[in-house]
């Protein structure tokens, strides 16, 4: 159980500044267990106390976990002077301080980005020692030969970097764009990893989309740019190895 100052609780859970939280308290908009409280320093027991703002109960969440279907042109950062970030495009209802993307997709890569304010959880998902698989759909310019398949399976040396084995599956040819579609599962998250793997074989990546992190697939009901909070069972799936 956490013990938290009431003004801190209000600012973190309602995504408002500490000043606005204090204003809310002064306006007598806040009750704890049905009794009006005006002091920001009130010590709250997050497991037992019920906080209401203007008559509506506020659920306490220590951390938040968000699935974003990243569109093209958006960068996987918290702030950027040139481009919109994955945090900028979240709906206001999901925004709170301390959010960051747990792992990066390139600006022109689409799909599943996990956003959270839980650093330890993100570290677990990202830590190279945990080898959490990430699944992508990739469109490339030409068909992968059987020798090249072998390189993906064995792991490849690019420059002086050794890439761990990746699983590659042919999904089909797109007759319109004349590209070849594969599912690829990697267990590392190196810079431009998939583009470099195919690039090293002279086979440029045309499109790249992340469709799963670990056992948790991208929710296909999310349109590009849309996001939702993870459910308990989503979080369990993410933790399943
Ligand atoms: N590999 C890449 O090359 N780019 C990404 O965005 C993710 C994996």
């Amino acid at each position: 159980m956490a013990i938290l100052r009431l003004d801190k609780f209000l600012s973190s859970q309602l995504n408002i500044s500490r000043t606005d939280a204090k204003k809310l308290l002064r306006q007598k908009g806040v009750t704890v267990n049905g009794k009006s409280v005006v002091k920001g320093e009130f010590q709250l027991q997050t497991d037992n106390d019920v906080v209401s703002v203007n008559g509506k109960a506020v659920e306490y969440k220590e951390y938040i976990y968000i699935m974003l279907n990243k569109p093209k042109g958006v960068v996987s950062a918290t702030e950027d002077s040139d481009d919109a970030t994955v945090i900028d495009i979240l709906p206001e209802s999901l925004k709170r301080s301390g959010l960051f993307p747990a792992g990066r997709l390139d600006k022109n890569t689409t799909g599943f980005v996990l956003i959270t304010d839980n650093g330890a959880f993100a570290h677990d998902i990202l830590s190279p020692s945990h080898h959490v698989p990430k699944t992508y759909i990739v469109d490339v310019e030409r068909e992968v030969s059987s020798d090249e398949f072998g390189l993906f399976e064995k792991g490849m040396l690019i420059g002086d970097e050794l890439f761990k084995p990746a699983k590659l599956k042919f999904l089909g040819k797109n007759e319109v764009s004349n590209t070849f579609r594969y599912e690829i599962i990697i267990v590392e998250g190196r810079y431009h990893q998939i583009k470099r793997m195919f690039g090293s074989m002279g086979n440029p990546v045309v499109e790249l989309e992340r469709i799963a992190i670990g056992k948790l697939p991208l929710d296909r009901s999310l349109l590009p740019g849309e996001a939702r909070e993870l459910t308990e069972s989503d979080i369990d799936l993410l933790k399943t190895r």
Side-chain angles (χ1 to χ4, degrees):
M1 174 176 64
I3 297 192
L4 209 62
R5 281 174 63 115
L6 183 56
D7 52 1
K8 212 168 165 193
F9 171 96
L10 292 169
S11 90
S12 70
Q13 303 302 301
L14 302 176
N15 191 34
I16 57 174
S17 67
R18 203 69 97 75
T19 315
D20 283 344
K22 290 202 171 107
K23 210 186 281 171
L24 199 60
L25 287 160
R26 275 200 307 275
Q27 290 164 347
K28 297 205 164 41
V30 183
T31 61
V32 178
N33 305 325
K35 288 201 191 99
S36 175
V37 178
V38 291
K39 285 201 161 84
E41 61 269 30
F42 181 94
Q43 296 287 304
L44 203 66
Q45 299 191 348
T46 55
D47 278 5
N48 302 328
D49 292 333
V50 178
V51 179
S52 299
V53 173
N54 299 327
K56 220 172 137 215
V58 180
E59 193 194 340
Y60 175 67
K61 284 181 205 144
E62 187 177 12
Y63 297 116
I64 186 168
Y65 307 89
I66 297 164
M67 176 188 290
L68 168 72
N69 186 358
K70 184 181 113 41
K72 282 191 183 182
V74 170
V75 294
S76 299
T78 49
E79 278 173 42
D80 193 276
S81 48
D82 298 321
D83 296 300
T85 71
V86 289
I87 307 298
D88 293 334
I89 67 166
L90 290 178
E92 286 307 315
S93 59
L94 292 179
K95 276 188 189 166
R96 49 194 239 176
S97 63
L99 287 177
F100 63 93
R104 286 162 184 270
L105 291 182
D106 297 338
K107 189 171 160 182
N108 61 355
T109 300
T110 59
F112 185 178
V113 175
L114 176 68
I115 295 169
T116 183
D117 51 359
N118 184 345
F121 184 85
H123 179 263
D124 252 23
I125 297 287
L126 300 176
S127 168
S129 60
H130 290 143
H131 299 171
V132 174
K134 319 272 184 336
T135 309
Y136 294 80
I137 299 290
V138 60
D139 291 340
V140 286
E141 282 191 2
R142 64 164 177 79
E143 197 164 3
V144 175
S145 71
S146 56
D147 282 357
E148 289 167 344
F149 254 95
L151 289 175
F152 280 99
E153 268 161 30
K154 278 207 306 281
M156 56 181 90
L157 190 64
I158 303 177
D160 56 1
E161 268 186 89
L162 188 60
F163 288 71
K164 287 209 157 53
K167 281 194 194 125
L168 193 66
K169 190 163 96 187
F170 180 55
L171 297 178
K173 181 179 179 193
N174 184 329
E175 298 294 345
V176 179
S177 59
N178 209 22
T179 52
F180 296 82
R181 178 162 288 190
Y182 294 86
E183 181 191 87
I184 179 165
I185 305 177
I186 57 174
V187 294
E188 304 165 289
R190 295 183 194 222
Y191 183 66
H192 289 337
Q193 178 159 347
I194 294 174
K195 289 175 186 158
R196 284 160 69 203
M197 284 170 137
F198 284 95
S200 72
M201 299 164 182
N203 194 1
V205 167
V206 180
E207 296 286 342
L208 186 59
E209 180 188 29
R210 181 152 70 192
I211 60 161
I213 298 177
K215 294 192 185 330
L216 181 62
L218 174 65
D219 179 343
R220 285 295 180 185
S221 71
L222 293 175
L223 297 174
E226 288 185 343
R228 71 159 171 82
E229 217 181 315
L230 296 189
T231 63
E232 291 285 329
S233 62
D234 290 335
I235 296 168
D236 284 347
L237 263 185
L238 257 186
K239 288 180 182 160
T240 311
R241 297 284 147 80

